Amino acid sequence: MTDTLLRPGSGMLPGGPGEGMLVEVRGEGELRTQDMNLNIGPQHPATHGVLRVVIDLDGEKIVRATPVIGYMHRGFEKLAEARDYRQIIALVNRHDWLSAFCNELGVALAVERMMELEVPDRAEWIRVLMAEWNRVLNHLMFVGSFGLELGAITPVFFAFREREDIQGLMESATGGRLHFTYTRVGGLKEDLPRGFLAASAKMTRNVRVRNSEYRDLLEGNEIFKARTRKVGILPPDVALDYGVSGPTLHATGIAEDARVTEPYCRYDKVNVHVPVGATGDSYDRFQILLARIDASLDIIDQVLDNIPPGPVNVKLPKIVKAPEGEIYVRTENPLGQGGYYLVSDGKKNPWRLKMRTPSFNNISAMSYLLKDQLLSDMIAILGSVFFVVGDVDR
Amino acid sequence: MTESLLALDNVWLALLLKVAAIVGFFLVAPLVIGYIEHKGLAHMQARLGPMEAAFHGIGQLPADGIKFIQKEDIIPANADKWVFSLAPGVALVPAMVILAVIPLGPGLWAEDLDTGVFFALAVSSVSVIGILMAAWSSASKYSLMGGIRAAAQLIAYELPLVLGAAAVVLQAGTMSLVGIVEAQNDFRILGVVPMWFVLPQALGFLLFFVASLAELSRPPFDMPIADSELIFGHMTEYTGLRYAFFMLAEYAGIVVLSALAVVLFLGGWYPLPGVGLPSFDVLFLPGEVVAALAGFAVTMGKIVALAFVMIWFRATFPRLREDQLQRISWLAFIPLAILNIVVVAVFKVVA
Amino acid sequence: MPATLPQIGLLKGLALTLKTMLKPATTAQYPHVKPALPPRSRGVIALMEENCTVCMLCARECPDWCIYIDSHKEVVPPKDEGARARTRNVLDRFAIDFALCMYCGICIEVCPFDALFWSPEFEYSTYSIRELTHEKEQLRAWMDTVPAPPELEVGAELPKEIADGLAAARKAAEQASAAVTAAADAAPAAAKEGAGPTATAVEEDIHVEVQIDQAVFDQLIAEGKTERVARAKAKAAYVRAEKARIRAERESGQ
């Protein structure tokens, strides 16, 4: 082989398709391949949403991966500055559409703590109940979509079967299937409808039974194990450096959970089990997800045993104004730690509402995780580092 | 019975009828498999699948076909137009050509070649050229990667496929597909119990079946088209009728490889090991035709059963990774297949 | 992982999919089978036009400003001879643009006169985005689909309307029985009950002739407020000051 034979543009396939992807020959028989630059997304079936990952590929191996975010930026934080608190609650459940209730809860808690409001006991318990149902909903979605990304098409349909039931349950209380808008500053919109608690108890049993189906279908599947074990290992220290939280962090073995370390609502009155993984690989992350569903169902059962009678709302003036000052509230959202930094100048809308969203930090670890992985593993990693693109961009 | 039913005196008429029969079967059988996939997959996922197009969605695939015909035929600006246009045909034709040698019932074959197995396997590997053509000419990185994966995969799995079939040829003592079916009918375990080759060749059958899954890029070996990674592999840039041709080629491939497995391992048109087909006259139909029809039904039943297993796998399993697939092929399947041949050969010589 | 022979995990999965296949599907054939939606479902907003007083609260509170209200003032002739004629607002247009609406339900919550309701109806998609703006006739038609609110869960506080009604009924019953049985016993209780309302009546008795507080007005103008705003605020300031003065006088008088 000589120098001139295979050089790009030297006549092998001039101007043909794939020019620039060609082999480049240098020196005597020494082959050097050119890296291929590939845009995964913003429209791509694996990125659920509009995440774009620019990767440099050497064959199927990823040399460099850069997540490019911002395709779904909707200026939520700026929008919040021009909205009153009730309107913010309606907006805040839209950026992370899979954890709507938990997001509303964070904002409501921030405002309540600023106003030093005493929220009725029953409302706090119902908040825990709803937040946990929302967590189950969210995790089911990711259980299904992770399977889908690895080519197992059935789990997602099973997940949606359960999601449908739970959404129906939550709809009967909140009126919404995705955007619940059920929290209000000082309590809840209204009390639960008759029969909700009984239906909840029945549903926890159903979902527990169905949860074993995912274990049969994916967790115990040898192909699934081969695809996910030792893939995308996230060491605990790196996870902390990137601020990764939620199930992704728990999989690394760190049991940091705001429900335990800094309990809000009535999480101090219930026994919260935080499952942790050992290696922090994709398989662990998936297992944690399934275990968290069970843990959430346990919390729901405890709530059902403890829910007291009483009002669900406190009487507030027509226009809610947070007093001047600032506060930071953190909550354990389904995807990780949610932070709500609220600065108020005493008006009816916040002066600034900064949100710390778990997805943003989780996706930050992507460059680290994707380096030197195979293209196929990239999908396994993208599916198991849990994020919602709306939550990344806000 | 070694004559095709269509072996008429007039050679040209016979040829015409054979071609018509093959094309007819080629167009209908994939639709049947496609429909079973639609419904089977749906019910495995607690869904109903197509329900609106005619009775329980029977008309769904013809309706899809009509839709594909109406769609705009887009050729990407940077594509190599000639290669791009030809690729679906190159992928499609081999499946049709193989059908010419596959016996679907007693007397139901177009040509009984002495080298039937060899011919079928040789032609089936032509379709990879179609895939490579499509992948290269699309001028899309996803297509290219899909094509390269497909090529690597098809080369890796051609070997266990051929070696699995070779063991059968060894046992039957003939390469003629009709001869292999007849040999299975005559085969007796220990000279007493009638059995098809599937039992003595269990390993071979398993290898052949799994290799044909990989050959067809069916889950869990669908990396070349892995929709969550490569959008749709070599078919990414295709639209309309050309895309429909690729889909038809995929399902025709399922039919052909299932039929080959049926012929090689599952006793072809024989309903049970050691049991023949009815060949008495029914009303105005001569016994020969009755046997042919019954044999066709039995063969189709077996093909559908194998296709169902493929669909079942698709519903259940996630996708493997390309390097894992290669490792399985080179480190497990090919040695096992060679071992299988050795064992069969030893038995053949000893018996 | 050189050899992956089918292992137990793979078979378990196969068994599960086969089992699912033999069970009836869970999906519903939507256009043929309608979903049963709970009464709280946020499907479409219905307008009880008769209750609307054009207070504009809904339009103002709407986070995405998708409610359009037009009205005019109408003079209603006085009921009694010699009384003042009253003006009232008449609703000309009430439209909700469902293409913009985010179904948060704030308008329904803030409506002080129960003119807006949720209905679970959801099948109003159209071929044209313009038809998604429902005018008041259409919104009124949705009223027919509004279900009764569900009963609340055990342990919940009674809804305000029912609680008030029950309290009033209990009070009426008590009063009736008290009047019949022992008038003497009931007298102190009645006096005690009467004390509340009279006390508030005194409060409302204060009447102030509206004037503009010139000092406040000037100050506001100096601050750069528009004349209209300044006038309104100055009036309010004057009324507040006057009321406080009169109240203080009365208290010192007592």
Side-chain angles (χ1 to χ4, degrees), chain B residues 96-127:
Chain B
M96 204 182 330
V97 173
I98 300 175
L99 276 178
V101 296
I102 292 180
L104 295 169
L108 279 183
W109 57 83
E111 212 57 61
D112 177 22
L113 292 182
D114 289 339
T115 53
V117 177
F118 181 74
F119 177 82
L121 293 174
V123 172
S124 77
S125 50
V126 171
S127 62

Side-chain angles (χ1 to χ4, degrees), chain A residues 83-84 86-87 90 94 122 171 173-175 179-180 184 191-197 220-222 309-311, chain C residues 1 7 9-10 12 16 20 26 38 40-42 61-63 102 104 106 109-110 151-157:
Chain A
R83 296 287 185 279
D84 67 33
R86 174 158 44 194
Q87 292 173 334
R94 275 154 168 89
R122 185 176 171 85
E171 189 185 10
T174 64
H179 304 308
F180 303 112
R184 291 290 179 274
D191 209 303
L192 302 170
R194 177 73 49 96
F196 184 91
L197 298 179
N221 189 307
E222 280 79 11
Chain C
M1 196 210 55
Q7 288 159 36
L10 300 180
K12 259 188 186 169
L16 178 66
T20 315
T26 45
R40 279 187 190 172
S41 269
R42 302 201 294 261
E61 285 289 321
C62 178
M102 57 188 238
C104 63
I106 287 177
E109 214 173 302
V110 297
E151 248 185 291
L152 294 184
E153 183 59 278
V154 181
E157 256 195 351

Side-chain angles (χ1 to χ4, degrees), chain C:
Chain C
M1 196 210 55
T4 319
L5 293 170
Q7 288 159 36
I8 197 74
L10 300 180
L11 300 179
K12 259 188 186 169
L14 287 174
L16 178 66
T17 38
L18 192 68
K19 206 173 76 190
T20 315
M21 191 182 82
L22 300 175
K23 276 193 276 190
T26 45
T27 47
Q29 290 303 97
Y30 157 62
H32 310 300
V33 183
K34 304 273 181 199
L37 293 174
R40 279 187 190 172
S41 269
R42 302 201 294 261
V44 72
I45 296 167
L47 169 71
M48 183 70 120
E49 202 189 320
E50 295 84 340
N51 285 358
C52 181
T53 60
V54 202
C55 68
M56 305 291 274
L57 264 178
C58 50
R60 259 187 295 166
E61 285 289 321
C62 178
D64 36 12
W65 304 310
C66 68
I67 302 179
Y68 310 108
I69 300 177
D70 287 341
S71 71
H72 68 272
K73 280 198 163 41
E74 217 167 58
V75 180
V76 183
K79 269 193 223 145
D80 305 318
E81 198 71 25
R84 260 202 313 186
R86 290 174 180 275
T87 56
R88 76 181 178 94
N89 290 316
V90 179
L91 190 63
D92 293 331
R93 178 179 188 225
F94 191 107
I96 299 178
D97 186 350
F98 284 108
L100 270 179
C101 177
M102 57 188 238
Y103 298 83
C104 63
I106 287 177
C107 50
I108 291 162
E109 214 173 302
V110 297
C111 181
F113 299 103
D114 282 349
L116 291 170
F117 296 90
W118 275 120
S119 156
E121 284 303 310
F122 61 96
E123 291 162 309
Y124 50 90
S125 50
T126 63
Y127 286 105
S128 155
I129 197 168
R130 279 166 297 165
E131 288 163 37
L132 277 176
T133 304
H134 290 194
E135 296 295 336
K136 69 176 178 187
E137 291 74 27
Q138 206 173 349
L139 294 172
R140 181 70 183 81
W142 289 123
M143 251 341 268
D144 301 335
T145 62
V146 173
E151 248 185 291
L152 294 184
E153 183 59 278
V154 181
E157 256 195 351
L158 284 170
K160 197 179 165 299
E161 294 82 359
I162 299 178
D164 288 355
L166 279 179
R170 206 175 299 127
K171 207 161 88 179
E174 267 171 26
Q175 276 177 354
S177 62
V180 172
T181 50
D185 283 1
K192 211 184 276 172
E193 255 164 25
T198 38
T200 49
V202 172
E203 200 88 72
E204 282 160 1
D205 228 354
I206 305 166
H207 182 71
V208 179
E209 206 65 51
V210 178
Q211 283 177 13
I212 291 177
D213 188 335
Q214 200 58 42
V216 175
F217 182 75
D218 290 345
Q219 190 198 335
L220 284 166
I221 291 289
E223 274 172 26
K225 294 276 192 311
T226 61
E227 199 184 321
R228 195 176 56 81
V229 173
R231 194 179 294 132
K233 290 204 166 174
K235 274 182 187 171
Y238 176 78
V239 169
R240 246 192 330 264
E242 274 300 291
K243 278 190 174 173
R245 191 178 57 79
I246 292 168
R247 213 175 289 133
E249 265 178 23
R250 282 190 187 163
E251 268 167 24
S252 61
Q254 279 168 0

Side-chain angles (χ1 to χ4, degrees), chain A residues 242-301:
Chain A
Y242 278 107
V244 168
S245 54
T248 318
L249 178 70
H250 297 166
T252 66
I254 299 174
E256 162 61 37
D257 190 314
R259 291 176 297 172
V260 179
T261 46
E262 207 173 287
Y264 51 98
C265 289
R266 290 293 174 266
Y267 279 114
D268 47 349
K269 302 263 175 64
V270 292
N271 185 13
V272 181
H273 169 61
V274 183
V276 289
T279 51
D281 58 9
S282 290
Y283 186 70
D284 267 10
R285 289 193 277 271
F286 181 78
Q287 274 193 317
I288 293 297
L289 214 54
L290 284 180
R292 269 169 72 102
I293 293 178
D294 279 336
S296 285
L297 293 175
D298 288 342
I299 297 176
I300 290 169
D301 282 342

